[in-house]
Amino acid sequence: MSREGVPPLPVSAPAMPFQDAARLSLGDTQLRFNMGKATTTIRAKRYKVVDEMPDWQNLREAGRAIKDRTLRHLDKYLIQLEESVTRVGGKVHWAADAEDANRIVAGIVKSHGAKEVVKIKSLTTDEIGLNEALAHQGIKAYETDLAELIIQLADERSSHILVPAIHKSRAEIREIFRRTLENTEHLGDEPKELAAAARAHLRRKFLTVPVAVSGVNFGVADTGTICIVESEGNGRMCLTLPKVLVSVMGIEKLVPTWRDLEVFLQLLPRSSTAERMNPYTSFWTGIAPPGDGPDEFHLILLDDGRSKVLADRNGRQALHCIRCSACLNICPVYERTGGHAYNSVYPGPIGAILTPQLVGVENAGSLPYASSLCGACYEVCPVKINIPEVLLHLRGEVVRHKQATLAGKLSGENIAMQTVARVFASPRRYEAAQKAGRLGQKLMVKGGVIERLPGQLGGWTAVRDVYPIAPQTFREWWKQREKVSNTKTVPRQEARP
């Protein structure tokens, strides 16, 4: 707990190493079936709409360049955004961490005498544990996105950035609704029936709750405009019906100009929901005219570790993420384990590089290893985040953190890797090791392969055979060739004067 009585935050040290959590997930056959079916469907749809764009690679490069420029001048653009929002009637709050942000939101809600808020799906508010913090203050938060509502009613965590209930089947959702919603005793599992039950439950909240809380997809520095994209229309209801709107924005969600949205509003829908454009794209700039939207608008700019990520030259590209989830849908590890194995608000490949940077590798050291390094996530990322590169960088950070302790220095793994490093650093030692290995492997080679290595090395051969060291290496062959060639060479005659 961050302090006495305050519930733990979702983005904190994972409760269980990824490898152990993944092993549990892999034993759930229903989960693996649901995940495989969902990710396969989303991938196929995405390929189709991306192939329609002849300039897709140029768009990706443009998105990367805009994000790179924004992060280089982030301090300047944030000040510009604050001035723009204030100019159009909004109020800007700065939150250093989750506790700050939660305190600001709770204060705004209480100042209006409210006991309930309606929420638009927001990873940023999940990151700071807003629902739990508000509950601690006696304020009930209602999720209005259908998938988020399912997760909230099931008292679970999201397992996907875009489709939080991706691990749930229709039958499982029906049982959750029957257990938690009124007048659902005879509810079926057809999507139309499930959506109608959720709509009946939420419509009353839209019309009566005075405060709405949203995240932010993009904040425009030069106009003070905030952008939300969504698919169900619940966001539009939250943005227009309540009297007070509070938006929580990670400081990296900034774009310098209105024109920059042209790039991201093409990249995001195709990469996330495989659509040419989002069904609902909402913009608001300050306070609306009376009777046409909220009377009060608050923008909370959240750091919560992002400045630390920005300071890391190799890891800062994680802040380019526009939360499309394309990397999750293509990842073979995520497809088999699901999102809960990551124990983080940000699952999948992007979570494997973002969470350890936000909470420290000492608290999430297993996540950088939750990848096969196949590179598929890099290939589909609409803003060209080189996730495998950052994963390797973070694995190095994990090792260096372990080596900083006496136990880490004396561990068998560290001693073995240090020995290997010394061998690889010297051609003489490398050749000597090859000769020793050639002798040592004789008892293990069967049928031209090594089926089982001794000790901890046995993990490598548990699912694969290893080819033995060749009787003659290339370097040995080359030396022999040079020796024979020199023997056959006729000495050149001295030139006559």
Side-chain angles (χ1 to χ4, degrees), residues 430-431 433-435 438 468-481:
Y430 182 70
E431 290 174 4
Q434 283 181 320
K435 291 177 182 176
R438 198 175 291 141
I469 299 172
Q472 184 181 43
T473 66
F474 175 79
R475 292 169 65 88
E476 291 167 341
W477 172 82
W478 186 264
K479 285 182 180 177
Q480 183 182 38
R481 176 183 175 278

PDB file of all heavy atoms in Angstrom, residues 430-431 433-435 438 468-481:
ATOM      1  N   TYR A 430      38.564 -18.961 -27.041  1.00  0.00           N
ATOM      2  CA  TYR A 430      37.424 -19.527 -27.780  1.00  0.00           C
ATOM      3  C   TYR A 430      37.813 -20.838 -28.464  1.00  0.00           C
ATOM      4  O   TYR A 430      37.088 -21.834 -28.409  1.00  0.00           O
ATOM      5  CB  TYR A 430      36.949 -18.506 -28.807  1.00  0.00           C
ATOM      6  CG  TYR A 430      35.747 -18.925 -29.602  1.00  0.00           C
ATOM      7  CD1 TYR A 430      34.493 -19.014 -29.013  1.00  0.00           C
ATOM      8  CD2 TYR A 430      35.864 -19.256 -30.956  1.00  0.00           C
ATOM      9  CE1 TYR A 430      33.387 -19.415 -29.748  1.00  0.00           C
ATOM     10  CE2 TYR A 430      34.767 -19.648 -31.698  1.00  0.00           C
ATOM     11  CZ  TYR A 430      33.520 -19.713 -31.094  1.00  0.00           C
ATOM     12  OH  TYR A 430      32.431 -20.112 -31.817  1.00  0.00           O
ATOM     13  N   GLU A 431      39.001 -20.852 -29.093  1.00  0.00           N
ATOM     14  CA  GLU A 431      39.439 -22.071 -29.776  1.00  0.00           C
ATOM     15  C   GLU A 431      39.733 -23.187 -28.779  1.00  0.00           C
ATOM     16  O   GLU A 431      39.436 -24.360 -29.024  1.00  0.00           O
ATOM     17  CB  GLU A 431      40.684 -21.759 -30.609  1.00  0.00           C
ATOM     18  CG  GLU A 431      40.376 -20.873 -31.803  1.00  0.00           C
ATOM     19  CD  GLU A 431      41.637 -20.454 -32.535  1.00  0.00           C
ATOM     20  OE1 GLU A 431      42.730 -20.924 -32.152  1.00  0.00           O
ATOM     21  OE2 GLU A 431      41.515 -19.655 -33.476  1.00  0.00           O
ATOM     22  N   ALA A 433      38.230 -23.566 -25.923  1.00  0.00           N
ATOM     23  CA  ALA A 433      36.929 -24.057 -25.450  1.00  0.00           C
ATOM     24  C   ALA A 433      36.294 -24.989 -26.473  1.00  0.00           C
ATOM     25  O   ALA A 433      35.646 -25.979 -26.110  1.00  0.00           O
ATOM     26  CB  ALA A 433      36.002 -22.876 -25.169  1.00  0.00           C
ATOM     27  N   GLN A 434      36.473 -24.677 -27.756  1.00  0.00           N
ATOM     28  CA  GLN A 434      35.932 -25.560 -28.792  1.00  0.00           C
ATOM     29  C   GLN A 434      36.570 -26.943 -28.723  1.00  0.00           C
ATOM     30  O   GLN A 434      35.895 -27.968 -28.820  1.00  0.00           O
ATOM     31  CB  GLN A 434      36.171 -24.945 -30.178  1.00  0.00           C
ATOM     32  CG  GLN A 434      35.215 -23.815 -30.520  1.00  0.00           C
ATOM     33  CD  GLN A 434      35.469 -23.272 -31.899  1.00  0.00           C
ATOM     34  OE1 GLN A 434      36.622 -23.127 -32.313  1.00  0.00           O
ATOM     35  NE2 GLN A 434      34.415 -22.967 -32.611  1.00  0.00           N
ATOM     36  N   LYS A 435      37.873 -26.954 -28.533  1.00  0.00           N
ATOM     37  CA  LYS A 435      38.554 -28.250 -28.465  1.00  0.00           C
ATOM     38  C   LYS A 435      38.106 -29.034 -27.237  1.00  0.00           C
ATOM     39  O   LYS A 435      37.873 -30.243 -27.312  1.00  0.00           O
ATOM     40  CB  LYS A 435      40.069 -28.020 -28.425  1.00  0.00           C
ATOM     41  CG  LYS A 435      40.633 -27.489 -29.747  1.00  0.00           C
ATOM     42  CD  LYS A 435      42.120 -27.203 -29.630  1.00  0.00           C
ATOM     43  CE  LYS A 435      42.644 -26.634 -30.948  1.00  0.00           C
ATOM     44  NZ  LYS A 435      44.077 -26.242 -30.858  1.00  0.00           N
ATOM     45  N   ARG A 438      34.646 -30.365 -27.815  1.00  0.00           N
ATOM     46  CA  ARG A 438      34.641 -31.499 -28.761  1.00  0.00           C
ATOM     47  C   ARG A 438      34.953 -32.805 -28.037  1.00  0.00           C
ATOM     48  O   ARG A 438      34.388 -33.853 -28.337  1.00  0.00           O
ATOM     49  CB  ARG A 438      35.658 -31.222 -29.864  1.00  0.00           C
ATOM     50  CG  ARG A 438      35.473 -32.073 -31.111  1.00  0.00           C
ATOM     51  CD  ARG A 438      36.453 -31.643 -32.169  1.00  0.00           C
ATOM     52  NE  ARG A 438      36.132 -30.318 -32.673  1.00  0.00           N
ATOM     53  CZ  ARG A 438      37.056 -29.391 -32.972  1.00  0.00           C
ATOM     54  NH1 ARG A 438      38.325 -29.633 -32.803  1.00  0.00           N
ATOM     55  NH2 ARG A 438      36.689 -28.214 -33.435  1.00  0.00           N
ATOM     56  N   PRO A 468      26.230 -31.168 -32.468  1.00  0.00           N
ATOM     57  CA  PRO A 468      27.524 -31.146 -31.775  1.00  0.00           C
ATOM     58  C   PRO A 468      28.506 -30.206 -32.479  1.00  0.00           C
ATOM     59  O   PRO A 468      28.278 -29.783 -33.617  1.00  0.00           O
ATOM     60  CB  PRO A 468      27.984 -32.597 -31.868  1.00  0.00           C
ATOM     61  CG  PRO A 468      27.307 -33.133 -33.089  1.00  0.00           C
ATOM     62  CD  PRO A 468      25.980 -32.436 -33.171  1.00  0.00           C
ATOM     63  N   ILE A 469      29.565 -29.876 -31.770  1.00  0.00           N
ATOM     64  CA  ILE A 469      30.634 -29.075 -32.377  1.00  0.00           C
ATOM     65  C   ILE A 469      31.243 -29.886 -33.513  1.00  0.00           C
ATOM     66  O   ILE A 469      31.538 -31.077 -33.363  1.00  0.00           O
ATOM     67  CB  ILE A 469      31.698 -28.737 -31.324  1.00  0.00           C
ATOM     68  CG1 ILE A 469      31.070 -27.916 -30.186  1.00  0.00           C
ATOM     69  CG2 ILE A 469      32.851 -27.954 -31.957  1.00  0.00           C
ATOM     70  CD1 ILE A 469      31.996 -27.708 -29.004  1.00  0.00           C
ATOM     71  N   ALA A 470      31.430 -29.254 -34.650  1.00  0.00           N
ATOM     72  CA  ALA A 470      31.897 -29.956 -35.844  1.00  0.00           C
ATOM     73  C   ALA A 470      33.313 -30.500 -35.635  1.00  0.00           C
ATOM     74  O   ALA A 470      34.089 -29.916 -34.867  1.00  0.00           O
ATOM     75  CB  ALA A 470      31.879 -29.005 -37.037  1.00  0.00           C
ATOM     76  N   PRO A 471      33.666 -31.613 -36.288  1.00  0.00           N
ATOM     77  CA  PRO A 471      35.030 -32.155 -36.154  1.00  0.00           C
ATOM     78  C   PRO A 471      36.091 -31.134 -36.558  1.00  0.00           C
ATOM     79  O   PRO A 471      37.208 -31.154 -36.052  1.00  0.00           O
ATOM     80  CB  PRO A 471      35.018 -33.358 -37.102  1.00  0.00           C
ATOM     81  CG  PRO A 471      33.579 -33.734 -37.222  1.00  0.00           C
ATOM     82  CD  PRO A 471      32.813 -32.465 -37.128  1.00  0.00           C
ATOM     83  N   GLN A 472      35.752 -30.277 -37.496  1.00  0.00           N
ATOM     84  CA  GLN A 472      36.688 -29.234 -37.903  1.00  0.00           C
ATOM     85  C   GLN A 472      35.912 -27.927 -38.084  1.00  0.00           C
ATOM     86  O   GLN A 472      34.967 -27.864 -38.872  1.00  0.00           O
ATOM     87  CB  GLN A 472      37.377 -29.611 -39.222  1.00  0.00           C
ATOM     88  CG  GLN A 472      38.443 -28.611 -39.643  1.00  0.00           C
ATOM     89  CD  GLN A 472      39.097 -28.984 -40.966  1.00  0.00           C
ATOM     90  OE1 GLN A 472      38.393 -29.386 -41.914  1.00  0.00           O
ATOM     91  NE2 GLN A 472      40.409 -28.873 -41.035  1.00  0.00           N
ATOM     92  N   THR A 473      36.291 -26.889 -37.354  1.00  0.00           N
ATOM     93  CA  THR A 473      35.597 -25.607 -37.479  1.00  0.00           C
ATOM     94  C   THR A 473      36.092 -24.872 -38.729  1.00  0.00           C
ATOM     95  O   THR A 473      37.107 -25.244 -39.332  1.00  0.00           O
ATOM     96  CB  THR A 473      35.852 -24.735 -36.255  1.00  0.00           C
ATOM     97  OG1 THR A 473      37.241 -24.382 -36.224  1.00  0.00           O
ATOM     98  CG2 THR A 473      35.463 -25.445 -34.977  1.00  0.00           C
ATOM     99  N   PHE A 474      35.401 -23.808 -39.090  1.00  0.00           N
ATOM    100  CA  PHE A 474      35.809 -23.044 -40.259  1.00  0.00           C
ATOM    101  C   PHE A 474      37.201 -22.445 -40.074  1.00  0.00           C
ATOM    102  O   PHE A 474      38.019 -22.446 -40.990  1.00  0.00           O
ATOM    103  CB  PHE A 474      34.805 -21.917 -40.510  1.00  0.00           C
ATOM    104  CG  PHE A 474      35.209 -20.993 -41.627  1.00  0.00           C
ATOM    105  CD1 PHE A 474      35.023 -21.355 -42.950  1.00  0.00           C
ATOM    106  CD2 PHE A 474      35.818 -19.767 -41.350  1.00  0.00           C
ATOM    107  CE1 PHE A 474      35.413 -20.514 -43.981  1.00  0.00           C
ATOM    108  CE2 PHE A 474      36.219 -18.929 -42.368  1.00  0.00           C
ATOM    109  CZ  PHE A 474      36.003 -19.293 -43.692  1.00  0.00           C
ATOM    110  N   ARG A 475      37.432 -21.937 -38.876  1.00  0.00           N
ATOM    111  CA  ARG A 475      38.740 -21.329 -38.620  1.00  0.00           C
ATOM    112  C   ARG A 475      39.843 -22.370 -38.740  1.00  0.00           C
ATOM    113  O   ARG A 475      40.933 -22.089 -39.288  1.00  0.00           O
ATOM    114  CB  ARG A 475      38.759 -20.705 -37.223  1.00  0.00           C
ATOM    115  CG  ARG A 475      37.864 -19.499 -37.092  1.00  0.00           C
ATOM    116  CD  ARG A 475      37.719 -19.097 -35.626  1.00  0.00           C
ATOM    117  NE  ARG A 475      38.991 -18.648 -35.084  1.00  0.00           N
ATOM    118  CZ  ARG A 475      39.428 -17.384 -35.149  1.00  0.00           C
ATOM    119  NH1 ARG A 475      38.680 -16.475 -35.739  1.00  0.00           N
ATOM    120  NH2 ARG A 475      40.593 -17.045 -34.645  1.00  0.00           N
ATOM    121  N   GLU A 476      39.620 -23.596 -38.244  1.00  0.00           N
ATOM    122  CA  GLU A 476      40.631 -24.652 -38.367  1.00  0.00           C
ATOM    123  C   GLU A 476      40.840 -25.027 -39.824  1.00  0.00           C
ATOM    124  O   GLU A 476      41.962 -25.257 -40.280  1.00  0.00           O
ATOM    125  CB  GLU A 476      40.194 -25.868 -37.543  1.00  0.00           C
ATOM    126  CG  GLU A 476      40.235 -25.607 -36.042  1.00  0.00           C
ATOM    127  CD  GLU A 476      39.521 -26.670 -35.236  1.00  0.00           C
ATOM    128  OE1 GLU A 476      38.688 -27.402 -35.834  1.00  0.00           O
ATOM    129  OE2 GLU A 476      39.755 -26.767 -34.023  1.00  0.00           O
ATOM    130  N   TRP A 477      39.736 -25.090 -40.572  1.00  0.00           N
ATOM    131  CA  TRP A 477      39.841 -25.418 -41.990  1.00  0.00           C
ATOM    132  C   TRP A 477      40.631 -24.343 -42.729  1.00  0.00           C
ATOM    133  O   TRP A 477      41.457 -24.628 -43.595  1.00  0.00           O
ATOM    134  CB  TRP A 477      38.435 -25.529 -42.565  1.00  0.00           C
ATOM    135  CG  TRP A 477      38.422 -25.670 -44.064  1.00  0.00           C
ATOM    136  CD1 TRP A 477      38.612 -26.801 -44.796  1.00  0.00           C
ATOM    137  CD2 TRP A 477      38.232 -24.608 -45.003  1.00  0.00           C
ATOM    138  NE1 TRP A 477      38.539 -26.535 -46.138  1.00  0.00           N
ATOM    139  CE2 TRP A 477      38.304 -25.172 -46.284  1.00  0.00           C
ATOM    140  CE3 TRP A 477      38.008 -23.250 -44.882  1.00  0.00           C
ATOM    141  CZ2 TRP A 477      38.172 -24.420 -47.452  1.00  0.00           C
ATOM    142  CZ3 TRP A 477      37.868 -22.501 -46.032  1.00  0.00           C
ATOM    143  CH2 TRP A 477      37.951 -23.083 -47.299  1.00  0.00           C
ATOM    144  N   TRP A 478      40.385 -23.102 -42.377  1.00  0.00           N
ATOM    145  CA  TRP A 478      41.062 -21.990 -43.062  1.00  0.00           C
ATOM    146  C   TRP A 478      42.576 -22.015 -42.776  1.00  0.00           C
ATOM    147  O   TRP A 478      43.390 -21.825 -43.679  1.00  0.00           O
ATOM    148  CB  TRP A 478      40.472 -20.664 -42.600  1.00  0.00           C
ATOM    149  CG  TRP A 478      41.003 -19.479 -43.339  1.00  0.00           C
ATOM    150  CD1 TRP A 478      42.012 -18.656 -42.960  1.00  0.00           C
ATOM    151  CD2 TRP A 478      40.566 -19.013 -44.617  1.00  0.00           C
ATOM    152  NE1 TRP A 478      42.243 -17.689 -43.895  1.00  0.00           N
ATOM    153  CE2 TRP A 478      41.358 -17.886 -44.940  1.00  0.00           C
ATOM    154  CE3 TRP A 478      39.592 -19.434 -45.517  1.00  0.00           C
ATOM    155  CZ2 TRP A 478      41.211 -17.175 -46.122  1.00  0.00           C
ATOM    156  CZ3 TRP A 478      39.437 -18.718 -46.691  1.00  0.00           C
ATOM    157  CH2 TRP A 478      40.232 -17.611 -46.987  1.00  0.00           C
ATOM    158  N   LYS A 479      42.920 -22.278 -41.511  1.00  0.00           N
ATOM    159  CA  LYS A 479      44.338 -22.353 -41.160  1.00  0.00           C
ATOM    160  C   LYS A 479      45.035 -23.485 -41.915  1.00  0.00           C
ATOM    161  O   LYS A 479      46.148 -23.341 -42.408  1.00  0.00           O
ATOM    162  CB  LYS A 479      44.491 -22.582 -39.655  1.00  0.00           C
ATOM    163  CG  LYS A 479      44.227 -21.362 -38.800  1.00  0.00           C
ATOM    164  CD  LYS A 479      44.446 -21.683 -37.341  1.00  0.00           C
ATOM    165  CE  LYS A 479      44.183 -20.467 -36.478  1.00  0.00           C
ATOM    166  NZ  LYS A 479      44.330 -20.764 -35.034  1.00  0.00           N
ATOM    167  N   GLN A 480      44.315 -24.608 -42.012  1.00  0.00           N
ATOM    168  CA  GLN A 480      44.895 -25.751 -42.730  1.00  0.00           C
ATOM    169  C   GLN A 480      45.079 -25.416 -44.211  1.00  0.00           C
ATOM    170  O   GLN A 480      46.092 -25.736 -44.824  1.00  0.00           O
ATOM    171  CB  GLN A 480      43.974 -26.965 -42.568  1.00  0.00           C
ATOM    172  CG  GLN A 480      44.528 -28.232 -43.216  1.00  0.00           C
ATOM    173  CD  GLN A 480      43.558 -29.397 -43.085  1.00  0.00           C
ATOM    174  OE1 GLN A 480      42.346 -29.213 -43.185  1.00  0.00           O
ATOM    175  NE2 GLN A 480      44.071 -30.579 -42.840  1.00  0.00           N
ATOM    176  N   ARG A 481      44.094 -24.730 -44.781  1.00  0.00           N
ATOM    177  CA  ARG A 481      44.161 -24.352 -46.198  1.00  0.00           C
ATOM    178  C   ARG A 481      45.328 -23.400 -46.452  1.00  0.00           C
ATOM    179  O   ARG A 481      46.068 -23.555 -47.436  1.00  0.00           O
ATOM    180  CB  ARG A 481      42.845 -23.677 -46.585  1.00  0.00           C
ATOM    181  CG  ARG A 481      42.790 -23.150 -48.002  1.00  0.00           C
ATOM    182  CD  ARG A 481      41.475 -22.443 -48.240  1.00  0.00           C
ATOM    183  NE  ARG A 481      41.423 -21.830 -49.545  1.00  0.00           N
ATOM    184  CZ  ARG A 481      41.948 -20.665 -49.847  1.00  0.00           C
ATOM    185  NH1 ARG A 481      42.591 -19.978 -48.910  1.00  0.00           N
ATOM    186  NH2 ARG A 481      41.872 -20.189 -51.069  1.00  0.00           N
TER     187      ARG A 481
END
